Amino acid sequence: MRIKSILGLPFDVLKYEFVEKGFSVLDAKRVYPWIHPKLAQTFEEMSDVPKQVRERLPDFFSLGRPICKILQESSDVTSKALLEFEDGNCVETVFIPDEKRNTICVSSQVGCPIGCRFCNTGTQQFCRNLTSSEIMAQIIFWMERQKKLNAAPITNIVFMGMGEPLLNSQNLFAVLKILLNVKTYNFSRNKITVSTSGIVDNSIIELAKFGVKLAVSLHAPNDKKRSALMPINNKYKISDVLDAALNYYKASNTSHVTFEYLLLDGINDSDDDAFELSKLLRKFGAHARVNLIMFNSWNGSKFMGVSNEKANHFSKILLARGIRTIIRKSRGRDIFAACGQLKSEEK
Ligand code: SF4
């Protein structure tokens, strides 16, 4: 019989699994706080769970952690880990400390089927969705590391790592349920961001019910340029994506939607691109934020990033047109912090 990891099960699912295997609801109630937030690594340490239950649990369930194959720390203290799961598949996850926050970036798939041209992960073969336990295991990895180092806890979580979260929406939602649960981590919904390349099917409507922040990878101001960079644009056009983002903002009661815009030299960085982008986002008023991202080049990439001056100039055009814009600091350049690079390097 296959032993199932229970790291990523919301309480109602765990309860169901327990009862199915002959455990009681009370057993589930006693075990759950040991998993979240106490981060128990064995059933043995669950001192208020009856001994005979503790002894039977490993026959069915596991609390196993992935293996950390590589852990790199950048000179700016950004850290990146390559975690290996039971079947040998690996994903990357990143820790980005700031003055006030400790943010982690989490992967949702092994590889990515979206195939954005500028993304290293997009060049890797899509393998499979991560289970909710594998997604949760990345978060727990950083929580445990902070605990071990006696350092400040994780404050923010972004689902922006390898893969498209909304193509693995049910497992993503299971993890969100755990994180937002007042009895586990009680994360504020404002501290969690889900990033999408623009999947605007039912999953984005369901996501709005969690009220977490949404980031949309736009990266171009018109369909022609976006389709050349992101093949997903052939399925969901910019107008569909923006309509869905506006509906998300209204339904989720969040303060704004973030639009990610990777500045690529000679591709999407002209004054006209900035003018066009500002027109596109006008209907969001103060509820759009643009994150201009500096490109972390990688081996084999045919794109180049822009200079700081160019980014500032692009930003000024947007700001002058009332679009709230920031240039995102590029972190961890010396550890290949662009998504997917560590995995490629390891290979
Ligand atoms: S940028 Fe995101 S959605 Fe696009 S290929 Fe990379 S991981 Fe996938």
Side-chain angles (χ1 to χ4, degrees):
M1 189 187 31
R2 206 168 173 274
I3 310 276
K4 184 173 185 159
S5 170
I6 49 177
L7 289 185
L9 304 189
F11 179 69
D12 52 339
V13 181
L14 181 104
K15 193 171 72 179
Y16 174 85
E17 294 275 348
F18 265 44
V19 171
E20 210 194 18
K21 301 286 183 300
F23 297 96
S24 69
V25 173
L26 184 60
D27 292 335
K29 279 187 182 160
R30 282 184 176 139
V31 166
Y32 206 66
W34 284 99
I35 311 172
H36 311 291
K38 289 187 190 165
L39 304 177
Q41 298 199 7
T42 63
F43 294 111
E44 201 40 55
E45 62 198 274
M46 303 180 176
S47 51
D48 61 351
V49 178
K51 193 163 184 288
Q52 66 274 27
V53 174
R54 276 186 272 149
E55 283 172 358
R56 268 190 71 221
L57 283 168
D59 294 343
F60 305 95
F61 305 117
S62 112
L63 299 165
R65 301 334 196 212
I67 297 166
C68 179
K69 298 266 286 183
I70 301 176
L71 179 62
Q72 290 185 336
E73 193 169 285
S74 154
S75 50
D76 64 10
V77 224
T78 300
S79 302
K80 190 165 193 171
L82 185 71
L83 302 183
E84 184 185 80
F85 299 112
E86 263 186 345
D87 64 354
N89 276 307
C90 296
V91 296
E92 296 177 10
T93 174
V94 184
F95 172 72
I96 311 150
D98 217 325
E99 276 164 31
K100 294 185 192 142
R101 301 182 282 226
N102 281 330
T103 304
I104 55 170
C105 178
V106 176
S107 294
S108 53
Q109 297 181 307
V110 182
C112 181
I114 300 291
C116 301
R117 306 278 183 245
F118 48 78
C119 171
N120 191 296
T121 301
T123 64
Q124 295 164 17
Q125 210 185 357
F126 172 65
C127 188
R128 64 173 177 83
N129 279 339
L130 293 181
T131 64
S132 61
S133 290
E134 290 167 336
I135 299 174
M136 195 65 216
Q138 297 168 65
I139 299 166
I140 289 176
F141 171 80
W142 294 115
M143 285 175 168
E144 288 181 332
R145 184 166 177 262
Q146 289 304 93
K147 217 169 153 183
K148 198 168 148 199
L149 297 173
N150 223 351
I154 304 302
T155 57
N156 294 59
I157 299 175
V158 297
F159 292 90
M160 262 183 211
M162 303 170 85
E164 163 56 58
L166 292 185
L167 289 183
N168 187 11
S169 55
Q170 294 314 310
N171 290 328
L172 169 73
F173 297 160
V175 171
L176 292 179
K177 272 189 195 169
I178 297 171
L179 295 172
L180 297 170
N181 184 341
V182 287
K183 289 185 181 160
T184 59
Y185 303 106
N186 195 18
F187 258 88
S188 156
R189 61 192 185 88
N190 294 319
K191 305 281 183 191
I192 298 176
T193 303
V194 173
S195 172
T196 178
S197 58
I199 303 292
V200 293
D201 59 10
N202 238 347
S203 57
I204 197 165
I205 299 169
E206 277 187 70
L207 180 69
K209 293 177 194 153
F210 291 92
V212 295
K213 293 206 289 198
L214 179 71
V216 176
S217 299
L218 202 53
H219 304 318
N222 57 54
D223 283 321
K224 192 170 172 224
K225 287 194 176 190
R226 193 166 188 265
S227 295
L229 292 172
M230 303 176 72
I232 190 70
N233 198 68
N234 293 315
K235 187 167 183 190
Y236 301 114
K237 300 283 176 215
I238 288 184
S239 57
D240 302 330
V241 173
L242 293 184
D243 286 349
L246 196 58
N247 289 338
Y248 184 92
Y249 153 69
K250 289 174 186 163
S252 62
N253 206 19
T254 44
S255 58
H256 63 273
V257 173
T258 300
F259 294 94
E260 308 281 351
Y261 195 99
L262 184 65
L263 284 167
L264 298 169
D265 188 39
I267 305 284
N268 61 1
D269 62 340
S270 70
D271 289 7
D272 283 346
D273 291 325
F275 295 140
E276 212 176 343
L277 179 61
S278 67
K279 270 189 214 151
L280 274 185
L281 300 181
R282 201 177 282 155
K283 61 181 171 186
F284 285 82
H287 305 295
R289 275 196 202 160
V290 173
N291 275 356
L292 296 176
I293 306 168
M294 304 297 274
F295 182 56
N296 263 349
S297 195
W298 43 274
N299 218 351
S301 156
K302 54 181 187 196
F303 297 103
M304 299 276 287
V306 301
S307 63
N308 288 339
E309 292 70 38
K310 185 87 197 202
N312 282 329
H313 178 72
F314 197 94
S315 161
K316 275 184 190 152
I317 295 177
L318 295 177
L319 287 166
R321 278 153 189 78
I323 308 290
R324 296 166 78 179
T325 306
I326 58 160
I327 301 171
R328 237 191 23 222
K329 275 191 280 175
S330 191
R331 300 286 303 270
R333 272 183 188 276
D334 51 331
I335 55 160
F336 314 110
C339 159
Q341 277 173 268
L342 194 60
K343 188 171 171 197
S344 290
E345 282 297 307
E346 203 247 353
K347 276 190 184 155

